[in-house]
Amino acid sequence: MGKAALGLEELVMSIYDRMESKLKDIEAKNLQKVDDPEKLRAAIAKALEEVKKGREEMMELLESGSADLATIEQKINETLERAKQYLGKDYTGLRTAKATFSRCVNMYKKKVWPEIEKAVA
């Protein structure tokens, strides 16, 4: 694997790192605020599991050498959507968890995307 490919892998994985850290952040900041902390813990655990699954799928894609920008973006978005399904008020007891998670991940993605484009080119 060339240096560019390694850079690409690190950049793409940093988006998954951001997803994980934001989920843990949401849990840490809200555990005392919700009526049912166990419910929040369980929802965050499920969302983290989806991020982990997405990370593994992305690693396979990157290692296959057949990753193009559209596929990378699609996989990231799929992971984001799968994780978000556990962040609704019914799961977490929080009204804003889903929006906070999406906004933070998308802002971060926007920040690193130009570098990912360069790495793929």
Side-chain angles (χ1 to χ4, degrees):
M1 215 182 239
K3 189 165 173 27
L6 185 66
L8 171 64
E9 191 175 296
E10 288 169 351
L11 287 165
V12 173
M13 288 303 134
S14 75
I15 294 173
Y16 289 88
D17 294 342
R18 178 68 182 165
M19 287 183 199
E20 287 178 359
S21 68
K22 193 64 212 172
L23 287 168
K24 290 174 184 170
D25 187 46
I26 289 170
E27 180 180 17
K29 286 183 176 169
N30 294 291
L31 222 41
Q32 305 304 319
K33 297 178 189 173
V34 292
D35 296 334
D36 188 349
E38 284 311 307
K39 189 175 172 182
L40 175 61
R41 267 197 192 98
I44 296 292
K46 286 178 181 171
L48 282 167
E49 191 58 40
E50 291 298 341
V51 173
K52 184 179 172 201
K53 212 182 302 177
R55 180 189 291 272
E56 288 166 3
E57 290 169 3
M58 183 61 77
M59 284 303 293
E60 286 173 21
L61 177 70
L62 293 172
E63 286 169 2
S64 75
S66 62
D68 59 29
L69 270 179
T71 312
I72 290 171
E73 186 167 30
Q74 178 188 351
K75 285 277 180 211
I76 291 168
N77 291 340
E78 284 172 6
T79 301
L80 188 61
E81 290 306 314
R82 288 195 319 245
K84 271 184 0 190
Q85 72 185 351
Y86 296 107
L87 298 179
K89 189 170 185 340
D90 294 346
Y91 288 101
T92 60
L94 299 168
R95 284 195 321 256
T96 58
K98 190 185 285 192
T100 301
F101 177 67
S102 294
R103 187 176 58 250
C104 288
V105 172
N106 285 324
M107 281 171 57
Y108 182 76
K109 191 173 99 179
K110 218 176 269 178
K111 196 168 81 178
V112 294
W113 198 251
E115 296 174 53
I116 291 173
E117 287 175 330
K118 278 186 221 158
V120 170

